[in-house]
């Protein structure tokens, strides 16, 4: 069974998430104890993703919605609303409470992992909608995840930075 859904609303939520994630990464980059210039670069990518999602939201509005498989959409919607991405406004407050470098990396890892999963699922339910744009975002988010995961590994190998 198929269903018509508001693709623009989904994309606008993802865009808002990108804005909040950029704030988190800028907070991390500016923290003297945990600061890392790579997080500022990631924040710039997230700003770009926001702009892409907003352009795609406008395109989705002009399309009049997406026709998707009901089961696929229900799963996507459940997955989205059970992730960190469902409450983007809470991310910065959560990051401000972090006092440990490993916790900071773990939050970034979870954000990036969930973002990669959501983008992949979005690509699956609407495969013909903006495939190049979504694939590019997925690749960039995977690069972020790889970098954060490497930082976690390096921190385990050398926890004091010696």
């Amino acid at each position: 069974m198929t269903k018509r859904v508001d693709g623009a609303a989904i994309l606008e939520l993802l865009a808002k998430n990108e804005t909040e994630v950029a704030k988190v990464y800028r907070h991390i980059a500016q923290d003297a104890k945990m600061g890392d210039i790579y997080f500022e670069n990631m924040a710039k990518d997230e700003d770009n993703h926001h702009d892409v999602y907003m352009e795609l939201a406008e395109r989705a509005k002009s399309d009049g919605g997406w026709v998707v498989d009901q089961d696929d959409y229900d799963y996507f919607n459940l997955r989205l609303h059970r992730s960190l991405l469902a409450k983007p406004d809470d991310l910065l407050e959560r990051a401000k409470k972090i006092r440990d470098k490993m916790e900071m990396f773990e939050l970034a890892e979870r954000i990036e992992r969930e973002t990669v999963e959501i983008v992949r699922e979005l690509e699956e339910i609407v495969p013909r909608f903006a495939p190049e744009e979504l694939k590019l975002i997925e690749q960039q988010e995977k690069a972020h995840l790889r970098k954060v995961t490497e930082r976690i590994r390096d921190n385990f190998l050398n926890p004091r930075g010696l």
Side-chain angles (χ1 to χ4, degrees):
M1 181 198 296
T2 61
K3 173 181 186 167
R4 182 169 292 277
V5 299
D6 184 357
I10 292 168
L11 293 163
E12 287 167 357
L13 175 62
L14 293 175
K16 181 174 180 160
N17 178 271
E18 296 292 341
T19 297
E20 296 305 313
V21 169
K23 289 177 187 176
V24 168
Y25 290 161
R26 284 194 174 92
H27 170 75
I28 292 170
Q30 294 168 359
D31 186 314
K33 188 170 63 172
M34 295 186 278
D36 191 322
I37 191 64
Y38 184 72
F39 281 97
E40 179 59 37
N41 295 333
M42 287 173 50
K44 290 175 185 174
D45 287 345
E46 304 302 348
D47 291 338
N48 182 49
H49 298 165
H50 169 271
D51 295 344
V52 172
Y53 281 132
M54 291 307 294
E55 289 172 18
L56 295 177
E58 288 302 314
R59 191 183 321 170
K61 283 178 189 173
S62 67
D63 289 349
W66 296 331
V67 176
V68 298
D69 179 81
Q70 178 76 45
D71 289 339
D72 289 345
Y73 179 73
D74 289 345
Y75 174 76
F76 173 81
N77 199 35
L78 177 67
R79 180 71 188 86
L80 178 61
H81 288 90
R82 291 287 305 150
S83 73
L84 288 174
L85 311 184
K87 297 178 183 171
D89 297 327
D90 295 346
L91 288 175
L92 183 57
E93 290 309 310
R94 189 173 179 169
K96 287 179 179 178
K97 294 176 184 173
I98 292 174
R99 298 289 169 238
D100 175 82
K101 199 166 195 166
M102 185 56 84
E103 279 183 77
M104 179 256 315
F105 285 132
E106 288 172 346
L107 176 61
E109 178 190 33
R110 183 167 174 206
I111 289 169
E112 294 303 327
R113 187 176 356 97
E114 289 187 2
T115 302
V116 168
E117 291 169 1
I118 294 298
V119 172
R120 283 182 178 164
E121 290 164 13
L122 183 59
E123 289 173 306
E124 286 179 20
I125 66 168
V126 286
R128 290 185 195 92
F129 183 80
E132 296 88 18
E133 293 93 332
L134 293 175
K135 184 52 89 180
L136 180 60
I137 289 173
E138 179 189 350
Q139 290 170 346
Q140 290 173 341
E141 300 291 10
K142 284 168 62 177
H144 293 172
L145 179 57
R146 184 172 32 259
K147 190 68 166 177
V148 169
T149 303
E150 288 170 356
R151 297 287 168 94
I152 290 171
R153 180 201 62 210
D154 294 347
N155 197 54
F156 271 129
L157 296 175
N158 191 9
R160 294 190 193 123
L162 301 174

